[in-house]
Amino acid sequence: QEAKEASWLLGVRLCLQVIPGVGEEILAVLAGDAEVVDQLSRQQCEQLWHFHVNDRASLVVATMTGGRQQQSWSNFARALDSASRIVQDDGAIAICCDLQAKPGPSLKRIADAESLDSADRSIQRDNSFDALPAIQLVRTLQRVRVYMLSQLDEDVVQSLGIAYVSCPEEVVRLASHHDSCILLQNAHQAVPMIAAEAL
């Protein structure tokens, strides 16, 4: 809303938006009046990325596709947020990605904190680039167990309170221990909703 107001005050009426597709594909490029482009882009994103599931699952396996630019802690946080919408309380989320970027200062606070509550309090005072991903991780860990298959070393993953997954076969074994499972592809872009709650 602030960006729209600023562009209006500056007299900027022409807008260009890129609609992301699967992985690193581009679904569409829209150009024209800012309000029209905004409305059309919202409609296209909702058609592609919004969907309903009947019930929450005890395990959500969330994938992050795309190359190195897509494999970021920001997208990791987006994937966690999406998976959190459809996982049961005390359930589990398994993030499958190729993330190899080391955690920043806010994420490292999780490793150094005495508890998740104290980590949450200290991270809220941070202005670092990874503060939002760190807060998302802490709040997800307070509710469910998080597993991660990535390019990161085991000690780095475990220091963040995340269970390390070494190979895809371990994700399959994990799923066999749960009563229900949802596979959430492109989780960093998906917006899943429980059907009954969307009415």
Side-chain angles (χ1 to χ4, degrees):
Q1 287 300 105
E2 289 177 3
K4 287 168 70 174
E5 184 179 348
S7 64
W8 177 264
L9 292 172
L10 291 169
V12 177
R13 300 302 305 146
L14 181 65
C15 179
L16 178 73
Q17 286 200 22
V18 178
I19 311 299
V22 176
E24 295 183 333
E25 292 179 5
I26 294 174
L27 177 66
V29 178
L30 305 176
D33 179 77
E35 287 185 24
V36 175
V37 167
D38 184 57
Q39 184 179 3
L40 288 174
S41 64
R42 284 178 185 272
Q43 289 173 355
Q44 289 197 22
C45 282
E46 285 180 8
Q47 288 174 357
L48 180 64
W49 298 114
H50 288 225
F51 63 92
H52 299 117
V53 297
N54 291 329
D55 293 302
R56 287 182 169 79
S58 63
L59 172 66
V60 176
V61 178
T63 67
M64 279 171 49
T65 57
R68 190 166 187 168
Q69 285 187 320
Q70 296 292 325
Q71 303 300 316
S72 67
W73 285 105
S74 294
N75 278 345
F76 173 83
R78 290 183 184 98
L80 274 183
D81 178 62
S82 294
S84 294
R85 296 167 185 252
I86 54 175
V87 71
Q88 296 171 358
D89 288 338
D90 297 322
I93 295 171
I95 302 289
C96 300
C97 61
D98 288 320
L99 181 64
Q100 55 185 323
K102 300 290 188 227
S106 292
L107 284 162
K108 287 179 180 175
R109 284 186 186 276
I110 299 171
D112 299 333
E114 294 178 3
S115 67
L116 290 172
D117 289 338
S118 64
D120 195 352
R121 287 192 298 271
S122 63
I123 292 166
Q124 287 186 49
R125 296 189 294 267
D126 283 353
N127 291 318
S128 64
F129 69 92
D130 67 332
L132 289 177
I135 288 171
Q136 180 65 54
L137 176 57
V138 167
R139 294 189 178 165
T140 304
L141 287 170
Q142 288 171 328
R143 200 179 136 231
V144 299
R145 185 96 164 110
V146 177
Y147 296 81
M148 187 179 189
L149 170 64
S150 68
Q151 299 297 316
L152 293 165
D153 292 337
E154 183 174 358
D155 58 339
V156 173
V157 173
Q158 291 185 341
S159 72
L160 300 174
I162 302 171
Y164 176 77
V165 178
S166 64
C167 62
E169 289 74 22
E170 286 189 17
V171 178
V172 174
R173 283 196 293 275
L174 176 64
S176 70
H177 292 95
H178 285 265
D179 296 332
S180 55
C181 179
I182 294 174
L183 174 60
L184 185 61
Q185 295 179 305
N186 300 288
H188 56 298
Q189 293 171 293
V191 184
M193 291 168 279
I194 304 300
E197 296 174 6
L199 299 176

